[in-house]
Amino acid sequence: MVLKVTDSPFSQEQVELLNRLLPTLSEVQKVWLSGYLAALHKVEAPMSAGFPATSATNGQVISKEVTVLFGSQSGNSQKLAKVLTGKLQEHGFHVTLSSMSDFKTNALKKVENLLVVVSTHGDGEPPDNAISFHEFLHSKRAPKLEGLRFSVLALGDTSYELFCQTGKEFDKRLEELGGKRLTPRVDCDVDYDEQASEWMNQVLASLSETTATQVAAASAIVSGAVGSGSQTEYSRSNPFQAVVLENLNLNGRGSDKETRHLEISLEGSNLEYEPGDCLGIYPKNHPGLVRELIDAMGWKPEELVTINKNGEELPLEEALSSHFEITVLTKPLLEQAGKLSSGTGLQELLAEGQEQKLRDYVRNRDLLDLVEDYDLKGVPAKEFVSILRKLPPRLYSISSSLKSYPDEVHLTIRNVHYQANGRDRYGVCSSYIADRLETGDTLPVFVQHNPNFKLPANPDIPLIMIGPGTGVAPFRAFLGEREELGATGKTWLFFGDQHFSTDFLYQLEWQRWLKQGVLTHMDVAFSRDTSEKVYVQHRMLEKSKELYQWLRDGAHVYVCGDEKKMAHDVHAALVSILQQEGGLDSEEAVAYLKRMQQEKRYQRDVY
């Protein structure tokens, strides 16, 4: 194609230059140049200059209005939804970003382009701030959505049987209601960054009817132009090497438990956090397990293996220690391992009808069990590590207030150590911290913001905090923050563990806050000190009348700790209190708590 002066806004000289240049460009160069020019336009003419609500491509009118909804328990989905919103705005789209709990459901039928970012919580459940929207969409009140274009990014963990279940349910239901997919759903494991980025680029390409390569090129140019000259930002993908200041055992002599109080310096990182946030730590696998695995497979520790898609290589022992997950088995991993095995045992375990047997096998076993039980010895190390997933960071609720401890972050971590199937088992991060981390050592860390577990803006609002064991960690941060702010609202803490004499974590601090009035009430339950086991939910029921009055007075309720048992028991106790003291039936009590969740008066950080 030859460009003519009459066909373009260019001068004769410019046309001649372009006609000499364009025929010499490869397809890749043309795509790069188009992305560069698009990005350059965005940098020089930002959104404030105004963009039309629609654009025409090949004669078709494409809506520039996009709604992004997120359902997030720990903050990952919300963070990705914000990144997606920024990318869309850079490309001229008008974006409505909302938590599912804040979205007005009657507006759904007017939405043309819907992007859903949602995690799965626990055993296939929606996160707390997605429950109401999930129920609405699956109810008879859900509208027909024939004019909707949508796509779903699902976050999950392949170690759970119902991997990305909530995202799958949203994807299926939106199609049932008449929606058409912009792009296929993407299901992400715990190492989600790369897949999430690819999904965003695919969505952008589909929305703008251009190629994913063009969008990626334009995004890269914009990112480079905007970010140039800025200081280093530490994050999940670029952790800060933090120095350990203290590493203490909080439990008394004779306790069956070991709980570490870890103090870490953030000096020089520019990292900030709020009470309710988490700290991510990249740990190292237990050296004993690494050595046993290498010996069982007949590998050489110094052999080089590839650790990422960029082709970076490390010695096998270092790679297994710091880069690959070797303690958690998943069905996808077993399926991949089955392809490497010449035996039939793994295929039999994965066969249809063996689901319960498979569940039982992966529950308390690790990679060493797998290679020994199914005779995988002989598989080359380079081939074997290619099927392993990356060692994910471990997230811990922060137990300090930045206002109380500037440039520091504190954690409360219980050391996990038990026996199963004839071998000692160790929690990856907890044993690393308890057994091998010394004062002065460094840890790769990042802050994981959790906007779904936050103190109320009004310091006069009463707080009810329920956190047995290490679940008490964020409440130490809450009270430290309230002390620094001079907050006057009442506070009530429910704490439990095994023994008063050895397991009363942070006892002196609670007593000091009680004396100062920062903590108004505290009820404790030490389950092994009495003939009948007593837990925090029992203490709540004993104080049902006063608790109900606090709820009537607008108190915010916070629960932190074990999701499988404790959180369910505490929820059931709250339902009972509403029935007993408020005269509600069971459905009304459940609805009351759902309203509290929607109003952010009932927040949970459970795992």
Side-chain angles (χ1 to χ4, degrees):
M1 177 179 175
V2 176
L3 188 66
K4 298 179 181 178
V5 176
T6 54
D7 298 330
S8 72
F10 300 109
S11 68
Q12 180 66 45
E13 183 181 0
Q14 289 172 323
V15 167
E16 290 174 359
L17 288 170
L18 286 170
N19 281 331
R20 286 203 301 270
L21 172 66
L22 292 175
T24 68
L25 299 179
S26 67
E27 288 303 312
V28 172
Q29 288 172 324
K30 289 175 183 176
V31 167
W32 187 93
L33 183 61
S34 65
Y36 173 79
L37 291 173
L40 191 63
H41 172 70
K42 295 297 183 294
V43 172
E44 292 180 349
M47 277 199 66
S48 58
F51 286 93
T54 60
S55 64
T57 304
N58 297 328
Q60 181 183 6
V61 176
I62 306 298
S63 172
K64 303 289 282 189
E65 302 287 344
V66 181
T67 297
V68 177
L69 297 182
F70 61 85
S72 184
Q73 193 73 31
S74 64
N76 286 330
S77 293
Q78 183 167 353
K79 180 183 70 174
L80 289 174
K82 287 181 177 179
V83 172
L84 173 62
T85 297
K87 283 178 174 285
L88 289 165
Q89 289 173 338
E90 286 173 359
H91 287 81
F93 290 95
H94 297 267
V95 186
T96 299
L97 173 66
S98 175
S99 161
M100 291 181 181
S101 60
D102 295 334
F103 183 70
K104 304 298 182 185
T105 53
N106 58 6
L108 182 61
K109 57 188 175 184
K110 300 176 184 177
V111 175
E112 295 181 62
N113 299 306
L114 175 64
L115 303 177
V116 172
V117 185
V118 66
S119 62
T120 295
H121 186 55
D123 293 321
E125 298 296 321
D128 286 352
N129 65 357
I131 292 173
S132 58
F133 185 68
H134 184 271
E135 290 179 349
F136 167 78
L137 210 62
H138 287 80
S139 73
K140 293 180 179 179
R141 295 183 294 113
K144 294 297 181 183
L145 302 172
E146 285 89 353
L148 179 74
R149 302 194 304 167
F150 73 92
S151 187
V152 176
L153 179 68
L155 269 61
D157 185 337
T158 51
S159 65
Y160 286 85
E161 183 180 0
L162 298 176
F163 172 60
C164 287
Q165 182 66 23
T166 301
K168 293 174 182 177
E169 290 172 359
F170 273 119
D171 184 62
K172 179 183 177 182
R173 184 57 176 160
L174 288 169
E175 182 184 41
E176 289 173 350
L177 293 171
K180 300 292 186 294
R181 289 184 185 85
L182 278 162
T183 63
R185 184 190 75 248
V186 170
D187 298 333
C188 298
D189 201 357
V190 289
D191 180 31
Y192 56 77
D193 294 309
E194 190 170 318
Q195 281 183 291
S197 180
E198 290 175 359
W199 175 80
M200 290 182 194
N201 286 335
Q202 290 169 5
V203 164
L204 281 164
S206 183
L207 282 170
S208 56
E209 296 201 347
T210 183
T211 68
T213 309
Q214 285 174 306
V215 171
S219 297
I221 298 297
V222 170
S223 176
V226 173
S228 59
S230 62
Q231 59 188 358
T232 301
E233 289 188 7
Y234 294 104
S235 63
R236 179 188 178 99
S237 57
N238 181 34
F240 174 67
Q241 295 294 331
V243 176
V244 176
L245 302 174
E246 289 285 358
N247 188 357
L248 309 170
N249 183 11
L250 293 175
N251 294 96
R253 186 176 299 173
S255 175
D256 293 333
K257 300 182 177 183
E258 180 184 7
T259 309
R260 309 304 297 192
H261 172 75
L262 197 65
E263 298 184 2
I264 300 170
S265 172
L266 296 180
E267 187 174 358
S269 69
N270 294 309
L271 289 173
E272 295 183 350
Y273 63 87
E274 295 179 348
D277 288 341
C278 297
L279 192 77
I281 297 177
Y282 283 97
K284 292 184 179 180
N285 286 307
H286 197 282
L289 178 60
V290 171
R291 286 192 294 269
E292 287 184 72
L293 181 60
I294 291 174
D295 291 343
M297 293 296 285
W299 292 330
K300 296 179 179 179
E302 67 277 6
E303 179 183 353
L304 292 177
V305 294
T306 304
I307 62 169
N308 55 36
K309 291 185 178 181
N310 296 327
E312 185 181 351
E313 292 186 326
L314 283 177
L316 176 62
E317 187 168 15
E318 184 181 349
L320 291 175
S321 174
S322 303
H323 289 273
F324 293 114
E325 175 77 87
I326 63 173
T327 60
V328 177
L329 298 183
T330 66
K331 184 178 179 181
L333 172 63
L334 267 62
E335 289 171 340
Q336 292 297 314
K339 297 175 184 177
L340 303 178
S341 171
S342 57
T344 59
L346 261 180
Q347 281 75 13
E348 292 174 0
L349 181 64
L350 292 162
E352 189 174 346
Q354 299 298 310
E355 288 80 11
Q356 188 56 52
K357 186 177 179 182
L358 177 62
R359 274 187 228 110
D360 292 341
Y361 183 78
V362 301
R363 186 169 292 123
N364 282 320
R365 288 176 174 83
D366 57 27
L367 199 60
L368 178 59
D369 293 313
L370 178 67
V371 300
E372 289 181 337
D373 293 344
Y374 291 97
D375 193 24
L376 292 171
K377 185 174 182 178
V379 177
K382 287 187 176 181
E383 192 174 348
F384 196 89
V385 299
S386 69
I387 70 172
L388 301 180
R389 70 176 185 175
K390 289 182 181 179
L391 180 61
R394 269 50 176 181
L395 297 177
Y396 294 100
S397 299
I398 291 173
S399 56
S400 58
S401 161
L402 197 58
K403 289 182 173 64
S404 301
Y405 299 94
D407 281 336
E408 289 185 22
V409 61
H410 299 176
L411 301 177
T412 310
I413 300 172
R414 182 147 290 167
N415 188 14
V416 178
H417 179 201
Y418 61 97
Q419 281 201 331
N421 305 304
R423 277 202 295 115
D424 285 335
R425 314 283 164 147
Y426 303 91
V428 175
C429 195
S430 66
S431 68
Y432 173 53
I433 287 167
D435 302 334
R436 306 192 300 282
L437 192 70
E438 303 287 342
T439 300
D441 289 346
T442 59
L443 274 177
V445 305
F446 62 93
V447 172
Q448 174 78 43
H449 298 292
N450 186 0
N452 304 307
F453 199 75
K454 282 286 174 283
L455 284 166
N458 183 350
D460 296 330
I461 289 177
L463 308 183
I464 298 170
M465 301 166 287
I466 305 151
T470 56
V472 82
F475 305 134
R476 180 177 181 263
F478 278 21
L479 293 174
E481 184 88 354
R482 302 267 286 198
E483 179 182 29
E484 293 296 322
L485 292 173
T488 57
K490 297 186 297 182
T491 56
W492 192 347
L493 176 63
F494 288 86
F495 171 75
D497 215 313
Q498 289 191 346
H499 299 285
F500 172 87
S501 60
T502 59
D503 306 319
F504 198 165
L505 307 182
Y506 300 116
Q507 179 184 0
L508 295 179
E509 294 191 46
W510 309 130
Q511 290 175 337
R512 177 174 65 82
W513 278 325
L514 280 167
K515 186 176 181 180
Q516 294 174 347
V518 176
L519 180 58
T520 313
H521 296 294
M522 184 171 189
D523 281 275
V524 295
F526 293 101
S527 59
R528 303 303 191 273
D529 283 347
T530 54
S531 55
E532 215 172 300
K533 292 181 180 177
V534 179
Y535 299 107
V536 287
Q537 65 268 22
H538 299 127
R539 296 298 187 220
M540 292 169 63
L541 291 169
E542 290 171 2
K543 300 292 179 69
S544 63
K545 192 176 294 293
E546 191 175 356
L547 262 176
Y548 178 70
Q549 188 57 52
W550 277 52
L551 295 180
R552 295 272 295 176
D553 292 341
H556 285 216
V557 178
Y558 298 87
V559 182
C560 183
D562 169 59
E563 190 270 340
K564 293 186 182 300
K565 189 79 170 72
M566 181 278 297
H568 287 277
D569 291 341
V570 166
H571 188 84
L574 289 170
V575 170
S576 296
I577 289 168
L578 289 168
Q579 289 180 269
Q580 180 180 324
E581 306 299 338
L584 307 180
D585 62 30
S586 59
E587 288 186 5
E588 290 170 335
V590 169
Y592 188 102
L593 289 179
K594 282 184 179 178
R595 285 196 302 274
M596 285 185 62
Q597 284 181 314
Q598 291 170 348
E599 295 165 1
K600 297 181 174 56
R601 286 184 53 210
Y602 178 27
Q603 300 181 33
R604 307 189 310 164
D605 180 13
V606 294
Y607 36 85

